[in-house]
Amino acid sequence: MLGLKLQALRALKAEVVTLQTQARAWEAAPAPAPQASAPWVLPPYDAEARRALLEGEFATAEALTQMERIMVPGATPSFVELDTRTGKVQVQVDFKEKEALFAYLEALNRQEVPGSDAPARWQLLQARPAAGAQSLGVAVIVSHWTN
């Protein structure tokens, strides 16, 4: 019994020495160089958003602001269609996993809408999962806005 305990103690001591050696090596390693941030690029739906802002028939700025202030890793809005006559906003969201899509939709609906006690504005209209490991799924979410 004592032999097993001594053997376990020696194994633990060897592991501690190994971890200490690794820690010293990591401390001595140079810090990674800071990565330059990517330049800001206009979103793919910029032209449609600008057109709708010029027409100004509904709360376009509020809808776009609400949508753009949400950032969920793995879910990216890639196209926006604004129907200024009806106040309908339709957004295409590219997503890696369905959990990211649902987190994006939930985050949108958690935001407060000034002057409104209305229920969640954004709804999932359709979703198509990724076809392969390297591709993205595509979903369409929709919201209705009025002035």
Side-chain angles (χ1 to χ4, degrees), residues 1-14:
M1 184 72 126
L2 184 59
L4 288 176
K5 287 183 180 180
L6 283 174
Q7 201 174 23
L9 185 58
R10 286 184 188 125
L12 284 174
K13 188 175 182 180

Side-chain angles (χ1 to χ4, degrees), residues 26-51:
W26 288 334
E27 289 173 357
Q35 295 191 5
S37 60
W40 189 78
V41 179
L42 289 175
Y45 50 81
D46 183 69
E48 177 70 13
R50 287 179 186 276
R51 182 191 60 74

Side-chain angles (χ1 to χ4, degrees), residues 12-29:
L12 284 174
K13 188 175 182 180
E15 189 175 340
V16 167
V17 169
T18 301
L19 291 173
Q20 286 173 335
T21 304
Q22 288 175 348
R24 279 192 223 91
W26 288 334
E27 289 173 357

Side-chain angles (χ1 to χ4, degrees), residues 78-95:
S78 58
F79 180 79
V80 175
E81 183 178 336
L82 304 160
D83 186 338
T84 56
R85 290 174 290 111
T86 64
K88 180 179 175 183
V89 179
Q90 194 164 300
V91 180
Q92 177 177 307
V93 179
D94 298 337
F95 63 96

